[in-house]
Amino acid sequence: MNTLINRQVHFQNLGLIDYQEAWDYQEKLFAETTAVKTGNRNLASEQQIPTPNHLIFCQHPHVYTLGKSGKPDHLLLQESGLEEKHAKYYKINRGGDITYHGPGQLVGYPILDLDNFFTDIHRYMRTLEEGIILTLANYGIEAGRIEGLTGVWLDYVEQKNPRKICALGVKASRWITMHGFALNVNTDLSYFGNIIPCGIQDKAVTSMSAELGYDIDMDEVSNQLKNHLAALFQMELQVTV
């Protein structure tokens, strides 16, 4: 456990970035944080240095990603179909099944040392969801959780037409996190028709723009979500342009 608690979090909005490039960047930051944390174990308390934390927001060109627990046949496209859709496909090291990322979707990658906040993965996931729920409430969209299912949902109480608006999938090692969440803002939902999203066949996917009937300002959503997460985690955000 850290002797020094560091609540400072470096925030970056990378805009539209290739999935592999963003993944490589995550891995770099994850490795740097891990190296600091591992090095501290061999140092006296007064010699230790704080482990860094990062929060990355971005969008991706069309891409499908399959988590460690996912089934490859949940991708309903062959290689030729991926080319036709101008989409890429990656098997990755997060939890969860298959999902889609694309323009108009706000993706968040927290690389946090949870020793700086709280060491509870369940609480971590629920806190990310709560940030999304509060952000959607700012737009008059009532969202919540469905027991046994990860992510953020609409019509989550009566469940006559439950719709997922945000997917989550994370990795954690030595209490350091990576990967994160994907909030559908102005997303082209037709791309979800090429997968069984998160392995769930009987529930739909939606977006903020589909629910409200107009396109949403991505920067505005980013700013509100960033601030909600900062408050929930008690982060001290340092914005990197």
Side-chain angles (χ1 to χ4, degrees), residues 159-180:
Q159 297 183 36
K160 294 179 179 179
N161 179 28
R163 311 179 291 290
K164 178 178 273 193
I165 197 165
C166 181
L168 276 79
V170 306
K171 171 191 172 181
S173 177
R174 298 182 181 89
W175 293 113
I176 302 168
T177 67
M178 63 180 292
H179 299 294

Side-chain angles (χ1 to χ4, degrees), residues 9-15 25 55 57 226 237-241:
V9 178
H10 301 278
F11 173 79
Q12 290 177 275
N13 191 331
L14 302 180
Y25 186 45
L55 177 60
F57 281 2
K226 166 176 63 72
L237 286 182
Q238 298 181 324
V239 179
T240 303
V241 180

Side-chain angles (χ1 to χ4, degrees), residues 167-198:
L168 276 79
V170 306
K171 171 191 172 181
S173 177
R174 298 182 181 89
W175 293 113
I176 302 168
T177 67
M178 63 180 292
H179 299 294
F181 59 83
L183 172 62
N184 295 327
V185 182
N186 302 316
T187 316
D188 181 350
L189 299 176
S190 69
Y191 276 80
F192 285 99
N194 302 312
I195 60 173
I196 300 174
C198 301

Side-chain angles (χ1 to χ4, degrees), residues 101-141:
H101 300 306
Q105 183 188 71
L106 180 58
V107 179
Y109 296 129
I111 298 96
L112 306 178
D113 180 0
L114 291 183
D115 268 325
N116 290 320
F117 301 95
F118 46 78
T119 51
D120 183 329
I121 292 297
H122 178 80
R123 180 181 171 189
Y124 172 66
M125 298 283 284
R126 303 294 81 79
T127 305
L128 291 179
E129 290 170 351
E130 188 64 20
I132 302 291
I133 291 167
L134 292 173
T135 300
L136 292 169
N138 292 148
Y139 291 86
I141 299 174

Side-chain angles (χ1 to χ4, degrees), residues 20-53:
Q20 184 68 61
E21 185 179 350
W23 189 8
D24 290 345
Y25 186 45
Q26 278 194 83
E27 292 278 14
K28 174 179 177 290
L29 297 177
F30 181 89
E32 290 172 355
T33 300
T34 300
V36 172
K37 190 166 190 176
T38 302
N40 280 342
R41 292 177 180 173
N42 301 318
L43 299 175
S45 297
E46 64 273 11
Q47 295 176 308
Q48 294 183 8
I49 60 175
T51 51
N53 305 291

